[in-house]
Amino acid sequence: MIQKPKGTYDLYGENSKKWLYIKSLIKNICETYNYNYIKTPTFERSELFHRGVGDSTDIIRKETYDFKDRSNRDMSLRPEGTAGVVRSYIENKMYNEQIIKQYYIGSNFRYERPQSGRFREHTQFGIEVFGSDSPIIDAEVISIPVLLFKMLGLKGIKVKINTLGDEESSSDYKKALIEHFKPKINELCEDCINRLDINPLRILDCKVDSGNQLLKKAPRTIDYLNPDSENYFKRVLDYLDLLEIEYEVDPKLVRGLDYYTHTIFEIQADIEGLGSQNTLCGGGRYNNLVETLDGPETPGIGFGMGLERLLLALDKENIDLLKNNNIDAFVIGIGNTKEETFKITNMLRVNGFKTDMDYFGKNISSSFKQADKYNSKYIIIVGEEELKSDKVIVKENNKDAQELIKIEELINYLDEKIEN
RNA sequence: GCGAGUAUGGUGAAGUGGUUAACACGGUAGAUUGUGGUUCUAUUAUGCGUGGGUUCGAUUCCCACUACUCGCCCCA
């Protein structure tokens, strides 16, 4: 038997209903904020990710799915969403508009060992905004996942925020970090020793050394901000206050992708059972990325959110997304009425009623069971006797009373009933 | 890349070196050939991840492989 590839999953049954529900909620929220849907290819030239995401990141160094196509071009399945959207922004010259606000939902691929809340193919909902360096946009971008989690009823959500400042600030900060760590680098783990040269920021994120005094005494980003960067960060926080979004400034927060500048943030769910996979959403500002990928100087900001992880969190919290999971009508035929049953079912469907029918000619008892399973609001019985006068029996589920309704009046009848 | 654990029907699982592999859920049929969700009855794995070994005999013991799960690293 052929099995699915490691780290992938099949979406079906109840889970696919939850999935579609979340997707439609995301769509509605994004439309409310006036964001436009964008879809970019699932694979791109490998170079895009090397230059965009950064050669020093773990994602690029050891987690991409790389392959050569039949013309021997280097391709990669996308490991994250931002680089492709930026490429599209530049290639389609969207910079002719002053501001572009977009959202996407799509698969990302990373070659990792799977575990709870982590897959080799996972889906991210993300948004990217180009063209504005207003701190209002930072607050708006953060407010979107916060609203989504709130609408889903997710508790224990924590927004963590930090800033890297502009290029000057973060380069000053990196120097300070190297100076701080270099003399005693041997006290740290092997990974951190490597990180010192590749990306010293990531040492702060190390969990092996998190108890080490060297880390606790490490310089803090916010102490190395130049006045402009400091002022910018303050305004972002002010706007978050204005929207009454709770947050926690975490000077040690850093991210695994190289392109970030200024604001970076993570949203974590403090939920038992999520373990270290508790980051539901991460993002930040990337004011140099468009230029890095050969576009005009353009500020940008965005986030990515793992839908599998979100679903897992909702599951752990016992949040039921399927409250309205039912159909309007189930049609049961009795006797030799298969054609009429199918026809009436079709009539209901064409008129917008969620309808199903018994396809097997089972006995009535079984058909009623089936109707219950689908949680049908109404049961329609098509019997030979009633058909003689062009009528069917309509029964509200769970009630004994039933009515004889003319087939031509059936739609109006159900319309009125279901409206109420 | 490193570490630990698990592998028995559609699902959750119990179990044993030796003729019929518990139990529960789900499925199907019937009691009820025109009215249900309760109940009752029957039925539902020639099979215990794959390959090899030990043995008179292996689902059970041993080895390898594979898959899955959970940690670490990293990330969504």
Side-chain angles (χ1 to χ4, degrees):
Chain A
M1 186 183 62
I2 299 172
Q3 293 178 303
K4 65 185 183 307
K6 188 195 276 279
T8 63
Y9 62 93
D10 298 314
L11 184 69
Y12 62 93
E14 298 241 304
N15 282 336
S16 65
K17 289 182 181 171
K18 294 180 184 175
W19 185 263
L20 289 179
Y21 173 78
I22 287 189
K23 273 178 98 162
S24 74
L25 191 58
I26 286 170
K27 174 173 171 279
N28 289 341
I29 289 176
C30 287
E31 281 175 3
T32 307
Y33 281 78
N34 197 29
Y35 282 64
N36 192 39
Y37 180 74
I38 179 169
K39 182 192 172 298
T40 63
T42 311
F43 64 98
E44 298 265 6
R45 306 292 289 237
S46 300
E47 187 193 357
L48 173 66
F49 301 117
H50 284 270
R51 283 170 58 196
V53 179
D55 278 326
S56 78
T57 61
D58 284 0
I59 291 178
I60 296 303
R61 288 199 305 156
K62 47 191 194 192
E63 294 175 9
T64 51
Y65 275 88
D66 298 317
F67 62 97
K68 285 194 186 283
D69 71 8
R70 287 176 190 272
S71 299
N72 213 34
R73 285 177 286 238
D74 286 310
M75 297 289 176
S76 298
L77 298 183
R78 68 174 169 225
E80 60 96 52
T82 302
V85 173
V86 172
R87 193 226 80 234
S88 172
Y89 175 82
I90 297 166
E91 188 166 346
N92 295 297
K93 300 186 171 55
M94 295 184 212
Y95 42 76
N96 284 328
E97 303 269 345
Q98 194 169 23
I99 186 166
I100 293 282
K101 307 199 296 178
Q102 306 187 107
Y103 75 99
Y104 59 83
I105 297 173
S107 287
N108 294 329
F109 303 84
R110 294 180 196 172
Y111 195 88
E112 307 177 88
R113 286 287 286 274
Q115 63 193 68
S116 177
R118 193 171 74 188
F119 300 89
R120 287 189 170 178
E121 177 179 7
H122 75 278
T123 311
Q124 281 191 29
F125 153 51
I127 72 167
E128 313 290 349
V129 181
F130 299 97
S132 167
D133 58 2
S134 164
I136 286 188
I137 291 292
D138 297 52
E140 175 175 307
V141 164
I142 294 172
S143 77
I144 290 173
V146 169
L147 176 66
L148 175 64
F149 295 149
K150 193 178 166 191
M151 287 176 77
L152 287 168
L154 206 53
K155 303 250 174 19
I157 290 298
K158 194 191 277 174
V159 178
K160 287 189 161 187
I161 187 166
N162 190 19
T163 182
L164 301 171
D166 60 16
E167 219 162 339
E168 185 193 13
S169 303
S170 64
S171 116
D172 282 354
Y173 178 61
K174 268 183 203 168
K175 277 181 207 152
L177 273 182
I178 294 174
E179 270 171 41
H180 172 77
F181 284 121
K182 199 149 200 174
K184 295 182 179 174
I185 189 67
N186 288 326
E187 289 179 20
L188 300 180
C189 73
E190 204 175 316
D191 284 335
C192 283
I193 294 172
N194 290 327
R195 286 180 185 126
L196 187 69
D197 293 324
I198 299 168
N199 188 351
L201 281 179
R202 300 217 50 79
I203 296 176
L204 297 174
D205 204 23
C206 182
K207 293 185 179 75
V208 178
D209 292 320
S210 62
N212 193 306
Q213 284 300 314
L214 210 53
L215 257 72
K216 286 182 182 163
K217 288 183 191 155
R220 305 179 334 151
T221 48
I222 46 180
D223 296 328
Y224 285 79
L225 299 176
N226 58 24
D228 281 354
S229 298
E230 188 177 0
N231 182 43
Y232 188 87
F233 189 49
K234 269 191 184 143
R235 286 162 68 206
V236 172
L237 299 183
D238 284 345
Y239 283 120
L240 287 174
D241 289 334
L242 188 76
L243 299 183
E244 296 178 8
I245 291 173
E246 287 179 36
Y247 57 85
E248 180 190 318
V249 176
D250 178 358
K252 286 209 182 67
L253 178 68
V254 292
R255 312 233 65 247
L257 287 69
D258 280 351
Y259 49 63
Y260 288 114
T261 58
H262 288 283
T263 314
I264 51 177
F265 66 96
E266 276 184 9
I267 302 181
Q268 300 178 348
D270 187 18
I271 293 170
E272 206 175 330
L274 275 189
S276 56
Q277 261 63 48
N278 65 344
T279 300
L280 299 182
C281 176
R285 193 163 263 291
Y286 45 84
N287 285 352
N288 303 322
L289 182 56
V290 177
E291 218 180 336
T292 302
L293 294 174
D294 307 324
E297 194 179 335
T298 309
I301 179 170
F303 70 74
M305 177 190 299
L307 292 194
E308 290 81 4
R309 231 171 246 192
L310 174 58
L311 237 24
L312 188 65
L314 291 168
D315 229 42
K316 299 273 182 205
E317 289 288 270
N318 290 318
I319 293 172
D320 183 15
L321 302 178
L322 303 177
K323 274 174 201 145
N324 297 318
N325 176 28
N326 55 17
I327 63 174
D328 295 317
F330 189 86
V331 187
I332 300 172
I334 298 173
N336 187 20
T337 59
K338 218 167 202 167
E339 283 77 15
E340 279 302 316
T341 302
F342 188 30
K343 205 172 161 189
I344 289 168
T345 301
N346 186 57
M347 176 183 81
L348 291 170
R349 287 169 172 169
V350 166
N351 281 279
F353 293 99
K354 286 162 72 177
T355 309
D356 214 331
M357 61 177 276
D358 164 46
Y359 299 106
F360 299 99
K362 290 194 278 200
N363 63 28
I364 298 200
S365 176
S366 302
S367 293
F368 269 103
K369 276 185 192 165
Q370 190 71 16
D372 277 333
K373 214 171 124 185
Y374 290 144
N375 230 331
S376 184
K377 284 181 207 152
Y378 285 87
I379 289 166
I380 292 161
I381 299 167
V382 183
E384 286 174 4
E385 284 301 312
E386 294 78 4
L387 273 183
K388 285 177 187 164
S389 50
D390 291 323
K391 287 177 180 166
V392 291
I393 299 167
V394 179
K395 230 182 140 151
E396 197 171 342
N397 205 351
N398 297 324
K399 294 195 176 152
D400 286 334
Q402 60 185 43
E403 282 189 73
L404 269 174
I405 304 292
K406 279 224 162 214
I407 292 173
E408 59 197 58
E409 289 161 6
L410 185 60
I411 297 298
N412 281 336
Y413 177 85
L414 287 179
D415 255 338
E416 268 173 45
K417 286 277 190 182
I418 288 177
E419 279 293 304
N420 298 331

